[in-house]
Amino acid sequence: MGTDYVHGYTPAETRRLTDQAQTLADLLHAGTNYPAGSRVLEAGCGVGAQTVQLVTRSPGIDLVSVDISEESLAQAKARVSAVAPHARVDWRLADLHELTGEFDHVFLCFVLEHLAEPHAALIRLGRLLKPGGTITVIEGDHESAFFHPRSTAAQAVIDCLVDLQAEAGGDSLIGRRIQPLLKDAGYDDVRAWPCTVYADETLPHLVDGFTRKTFIAMVESVRDRAIAAGMRTPAEWAQGIHDLSKAAESGGTFHYTFFKSVGRKC
């Protein structure tokens, strides 16, 4: 069900995921709390950046965190152990279609965008949910990014990320369609809403944590692939990143929208 992870498994990507989770914790996890004793599946835990939020915001849950990367799982275990040593987490190295068990709730954050068949994955996860159980999905949409000062060079490097992820079988624009995806996969009472990030110099924690360390770092992660594919020359890429970085300087602004959706199994 997976695709090539377009951002790569690097220390820089681990830092980016950590910065993103910490900066956006309240925005993305608001309202997501599970009762103690609930059996919760985190499908695609990565390096554990979101896992920390789950176990600290819902203490006492029985969490099963799954990923296809052994290295990422090792980092996730260490991260959670350092922050919440008493959290009950069952770590599993597996693909989503291999999962078994029965769960009260399922949580996915930034996972569907990397799957070649997100609809099939959602159907499969629904089979693991108990009747009345919920699924929570959070995804971004790279075309929701707009910024000041405007720049065609900056937009071009963002488009490289979008195109490369599509070529790898994923969809970095999936946020806009998670509500119909969940509905079409058979979930009931599906609700979705935007979670918007806006950053300017009056919000320095978002400028640094999101504009610089999350979004621009994400775009920079595909530099070598974009140049190797002939999408940009090294000079064009440098100009695009230079222009995009102006959004994180005095007088610059940056906007991005995530989408969060919750559905229920009847």
Side-chain angles (χ1 to χ4, degrees):
M1 285 188 180
T3 68
D4 179 20
Y5 186 63
V6 70
H7 308 300
Y9 295 95
T10 65
E13 176 62 4
T14 298
R15 288 193 299 272
R16 185 189 73 80
L17 292 171
T18 302
D19 290 331
Q20 176 177 249
Q22 293 174 345
T23 302
L24 303 177
D26 291 338
L27 177 71
L28 299 183
H29 286 267
T32 301
N33 303 99
Y34 303 116
S38 297
R39 184 168 168 80
V40 181
L41 171 64
E42 181 189 17
C45 67
V47 298
Q50 306 298 334
T51 317
V52 168
Q53 298 299 323
L54 291 173
V55 297
T56 55
R57 290 169 182 266
S58 298
I61 62 173
D62 291 304
L63 183 65
V64 176
S65 292
V66 178
D67 203 83
I68 59 173
S69 167
E70 188 171 4
E71 182 179 353
S72 293
L73 274 178
Q75 294 182 52
K77 291 179 186 179
R79 185 185 303 277
V80 172
S81 178
V83 175
H86 301 297
R88 298 195 294 268
V89 185
D90 177 5
W91 304 97
R92 297 187 187 178
L93 179 67
D95 200 331
L96 296 187
H97 75 275
E98 300 171 347
L99 297 176
T100 59
E102 191 175 48
F103 299 90
D104 299 298
H105 305 282
V106 173
F107 178 87
L108 300 89
C109 187
F110 311 142
V111 173
L112 294 182
E113 65 172 300
H114 300 294
L115 301 184
E117 299 178 356
H119 179 261
L122 289 173
I123 291 175
R124 174 60 182 153
L125 291 170
R127 294 172 183 157
L128 304 178
L129 267 177
K130 296 178 182 178
T134 68
I135 185 169
T136 298
V137 177
I138 302 172
E139 293 290 346
D141 188 321
H142 295 349
E143 283 189 355
S144 73
F146 57 85
F147 45 89
H148 173 76
R150 293 180 64 185
S151 163
T152 55
Q155 187 60 55
V157 295
I158 296 172
D159 291 344
C160 286
L161 172 57
V162 173
D163 293 342
L164 284 168
Q165 192 154 340
E167 289 179 7
D171 180 7
S172 62
L173 313 180
I174 200 169
R176 68 186 69 181
R177 63 187 181 102
I178 57 173
Q179 192 277 342
L181 270 173
L182 283 167
K183 181 182 177 182
D184 292 346
Y187 296 92
D188 289 334
D189 303 323
V190 179
R191 299 174 293 109
W193 58 94
C195 302
T196 299
V197 184
Y198 169 78
D200 64 28
E201 61 189 325
T202 68
L203 301 163
H205 65 294
L206 289 177
V207 171
D208 187 54
F210 186 73
T211 308
R212 287 197 187 98
K213 293 181 177 178
T214 297
F215 191 82
I216 296 176
M218 177 174 60
V219 175
E220 287 190 296
S221 72
V222 300
R223 174 191 180 277
D224 292 347
R225 290 191 182 203
I227 292 174
M231 294 178 168
R232 299 275 94 188
T233 66
E236 288 170 335
W237 185 269
Q239 184 63 55
I241 294 297
H242 175 269
D243 288 1
L244 185 57
S245 297
K246 290 181 180 178
E249 298 174 0
S250 178
T253 67
F254 190 84
H255 169 281
Y256 189 92
T257 301
F258 296 94
F259 295 88
K260 185 172 183 177
S261 187
V262 177
R264 186 175 300 277
K265 182 175 181 178
C266 63

